Amino acid sequence: MMKEISVFLENEKSTSELGLKLSKNLSAGLLLFLKGDLGAGKTCLVRSILINLGYQGKVKSPSYSLFEQYSIDGKTINHFDLYRFKSAEEWLSAGFNDYINVHDITIIEWPEKAKNVLCDSDIEIEIVYDKEISRRALIRAKSKKGEAVCKDLV
Ligand SMILES: Nc1ncnc2c1ncn2[C@@H]1O[C@H](COP(=O)(O)OP(=O)(O)O)[C@@H](O)[C@H]1O
Ligand SMILES: [Mg+2]
């Protein structure tokens, strides 16, 4: 595995700041996995990424819809939340693979729910609880493209 970066996220503002940094480095076709317990801050991070890319509408959590798509300045961002999947095969039967391509940025919360059917990510961020109310982001680059995103994050 490539190296892991650890970023302490004291409060929600810190999570937003990480989203800002990430938004500047995202490249075409990037596949980002977001792991961590319910309430860890995955959607919070995605919201910050989208807003900093220039999205002005409301960012909904796709926990019921499973999927939201955003079009920002000619860029397409796909946001999935697979928490409600009962089996990994739902990823395939829903045709979600078709959304992963070389142009669009795709962010997936709960990728574990589609283990073995999802393609490999470029970057994985696991958000864990740290010191009662704070969080820590463990950021792992999984490809060259992912490594480039990790640059200047700390
Ligand atoms: N670094 C942080 N420290 C403390 N609370 C945070 C932090 N980041 C986000 N939060 C809060 O935690 C909650 C995260 O919710 P959400 O992003 O929906 O979680 P998830 O998508 O992981 O289930 C929000 O209430 C947010 O205000
Ligand atoms: Mg969420």
Side-chain angles (χ1 to χ4, degrees):
M1 194 176 71
M2 299 186 192
K3 82 169 194 223
E4 180 178 275
I5 299 173
S6 172
V7 184
F8 181 61
L9 305 172
E10 185 173 16
N11 50 38
E12 188 175 340
K13 189 164 165 276
S14 330
T15 302
S16 299
E17 281 164 8
L18 177 61
L20 168 64
K21 288 182 183 166
L22 286 167
S23 71
K24 292 181 179 162
N25 287 7
L26 299 177
S27 52
L30 194 90
L31 181 57
L32 165 64
F33 286 178
L34 286 185
K35 297 182 173 177
D37 284 348
L38 276 180
K42 301 180 294 297
T43 300
C44 188
L45 184 62
V46 177
R47 190 170 285 127
S48 168
I49 290 171
L50 291 165
I51 288 168
N52 285 300
L53 284 173
Y55 185 68
Q56 298 193 331
K58 189 173 181 297
V59 177
K60 283 186 282 179
S61 170
S63 39
Y64 288 92
S65 58
L66 299 173
F67 170 58
E68 299 285 340
Q69 188 173 61
Y70 299 87
S71 186
I72 310 166
D73 272 346
K75 280 196 190 110
T76 299
I77 294 95
N78 301 312
H79 179 199
F80 291 94
D81 181 339
L82 311 184
Y83 182 67
R84 283 155 47 89
F85 270 13
K86 289 186 185 64
S87 80
E89 282 64 39
E90 285 182 57
W91 173 265
L92 300 173
S93 57
F96 285 163
N97 252 343
D98 297 348
Y99 289 97
I100 299 180
N101 62 60
V102 295
H103 305 291
D104 303 339
I105 294 161
T106 298
I107 306 176
I108 305 180
E109 295 184 43
W110 293 100
E112 309 89 313
K113 298 276 183 175
K115 216 175 170 179
N116 300 327
V117 301
L118 271 179
C119 34
D120 293 336
S121 64
D122 294 299
I123 180 162
E124 176 181 294
I125 301 181
E126 181 175 356
I127 305 178
V128 295
Y129 287 83
D130 193 321
K131 299 200 174 105
E132 314 268 328
I133 58 154
S134 296
R135 316 284 200 261
R136 178 171 293 278
L138 305 172
I139 306 170
R140 304 171 191 121
K142 300 282 191 174
S143 71
K144 286 272 167 228
K145 215 150 85 178
E147 270 187 343
V149 176
C150 288
K151 269 194 223 139
D152 37 80
L153 278 188
V154 280

